Structures are given as C-alpha cells and as structure tokens.
Amino acid sequence: MKMISPPHPEEFILLGFADRPWLELPLFAILLITYPVAMVGNIAIILASRLDTRLHSPMCFFLTNLSFLDMCYTTSIVPQMLFNLGSTRKTISYLGCAAQLYFFHIMGGTECLLLAIMSFDRYVAICKPLHYTLIMNPRFCILLASAVWLTGITYAVSEATATLQLPLCGLNKLDHLVCEIPVLIKAACGEKAANELTLSVVCIFILAVPLCLILASYACIGHAVFKIKSSEGRKKAFGTCSSHLIVVFLFYGPAISMYLQPPSSISRDQPKFMALFYGVVTPTLNPFIYTLRNKDVKGALGNLLRGIFTSK
C-alpha cells in the first residue's frame, strides 16, 4: 500500500553552521550582546521622538517607523537563532517557520520602501525648503507611511504564501539559520523556475525601484547642495543626509546581493551571513548612526537619559 507523504513537514531542521561548530559559541555571544543593544537603542529613539517636541517633524516620524521596523525585524529572527545556537536540537516547527517567513519579509519589504520615502523627505527639505511644511504635512506623512506598510505586507504575504506551497518531497533540512524565501525555494523539489522568476520580478519592484528613487533624490539633492554658496550651508545640508545614506548602503547592499539573483545560484553560506548582517548588524547600528549624526536626536536622547536618572 503506497503511503501518501504529508504536504509539509511538521518541523524543519536548521543546519546553520553545523559543519563549523566552532562558530556557534562566538555567534551566540555576539547575538546575546547585539540584540539587547538593538532593542534599547531603537526604543530610546522612539521614546525621544515622542517625548521631545523638537523631534515632532516628518523626518523623525519616519525615523520612529524605521526604529519600530528594526525592532520587529531583529526580533523575528534573533530569538530563534539564540535558541538554536545554544541547543543541540536545531529545529523550528512548520508554523514557526511560516510565521518567521511572513514577519521577516514584511519588515524587510516595508523597510525598503520606507528608506525611499525618507530620501524623498530629504529631497523636499533641501530642494524645496519653502514648501517643506506644506508638502510634508502630518496627514501626507501618515498617508505615505500607511502606503509603505500596506505594500510591504502585500509583498510578503503573496510571496511567502507562494513559497510555502512549493513541494518539499519529504525534505525538512534547511541549510540556513532562519526560514527565508530564497532558501526554501532552493530546498524545494520539482519545477520551481516560475517561483524564481516571480521572486526576481517582485524583488526588482521592492528593491530596485526604491533604490532608483533614492539615487534620483540624492542626485537632485547633490545638485542643489553644490549651488549653495556658503560652505557652512553645504556642510549642514550634507549632514542631514549622511545618516540616511549610510543606512541605505548598509541595508541595500546585502539585500540586493541576496535577492536579485536566482536562488539556485546562491552560494551555501551567503544566506547565513547576509541574514546576520541585515537582520542583526544593521538594526543594531541604525540608532547609533542617527544619534551620532543628528544633533537634535542626540540632544533629545540626552534629555531622556537625564530625566530617567533624575526621577530615580
């Protein structure tokens, strides 16, 4: 009597760095330090932006959204990584894998678009300063943020759902630290060319198009800045954009190298290091980048810390 294989395994085994066990303890220690730092840093930016009236601006509104995204982004993968790195049983349930897949890609897709909106905000601030408050009014900012979140959710739900429907033919081992779309497509059996093509097309929209908008915004910003006669004015204009540019390069670099190539051509360890970078390193660095490069944010965080210690 022929046994019918289940549509999906009950759990996945995440191989991670099983072939290099000496890496597990240092990675566990690094994650144990960076995760609380990322959470505290992003929570501090959110609190400072809400409590300090100087930060009630469109830029800080989008920065608050970015900090919230980074918190959710890193939380969707780091606890699972810590559990697996500190345990001999490196598994994740099918439902846990599906939830991780949805949340991880919702946050990632939304962040791609949010960074583009933040570059538009900088473009309006520098190239059209007299119309800035008129264009970037609170209602329009909320509309932009809502559109970004809705698009990110739509992308993640559609792409992750299509990926979860791929046949695995009884295979339940993933050579990765987390559940990620390219890795699941690579692990699937049967015909998957259509899924690879769909992923590439969707990622061109979610990655390449926002990046082109960012580059176009900064081309206009650069042109406007070089027209400023005062060196102090040019320095101030570049200062308002430098933090965002650094974050863009940190996020888009690894994401493009991971998602804008066919999953079948991805090397074995590339997804692991990329996930660690844009899922852990970037959310940890972002609060420091914005704090060190922005006097208003730095001052607000200083006031927040003084208020906390004074109350104690």
Side-chain angles (χ1 to χ4, degrees), residues 62-135:
F62 293 123
L63 179 57
T64 302
N65 274 265
L66 181 65
S67 293
F68 178 73
L69 268 172
D70 282 341
M71 287 169 55
C72 297
Y73 202 22
T74 191
T75 299
S76 68
I77 60 172
V78 172
Q80 179 65 37
M81 283 185 185
L82 285 169
F83 178 80
N84 284 356
L85 289 170
S87 169
T88 55
R89 183 175 168 79
K90 305 180 188 304
T91 60
I92 184 171
S93 67
Y94 178 81
L95 289 177
C97 181
Q100 188 176 76
L101 202 69
Y102 283 112
F103 278 105
F104 187 64
H105 288 90
I106 284 172
M107 302 307 155
T110 305
E111 186 157 338
C112 287
L113 300 169
L114 182 63
L115 290 172
I117 296 300
M118 292 175 77
S119 71
F120 173 72
D121 172 71
R122 293 298 83 205
Y123 161 75
V124 177
I126 293 172
C127 298
K128 300 184 182 295
L130 298 178
H131 300 94
Y132 181 68
T133 53
L134 182 65
I135 296 172

Side-chain angles (χ1 to χ4, degrees), residues 263-307:
S264 54
S265 68
I266 295 172
S267 63
R268 183 180 179 186
D269 287 333
Q270 183 182 350
K272 304 169 193 176
F273 289 112
M274 290 299 100
L276 284 169
F277 191 86
Y278 57 72
V280 180
V281 176
T282 304
T284 304
L285 292 178
N286 283 356
F288 294 100
I289 293 168
Y290 277 104
T291 301
L292 295 174
R293 305 290 298 183
N294 190 303
K295 289 182 181 179
D296 289 338
V297 176
K298 193 188 300 184
L301 286 174
N303 292 336
L304 178 64
L305 290 174
R306 280 192 293 271

Side-chain angles (χ1 to χ4, degrees), residues 159 163 166 180-189 192 195-196 199 263-264:
E159 193 61 42
T163 302
L166 285 171
E180 203 171 358
I181 287 174
V183 178
L184 279 169
I185 291 177
K186 191 174 182 179
C189 59
K192 51 191 177 183
N195 289 77
E196 290 190 348
L199 179 63
S264 54

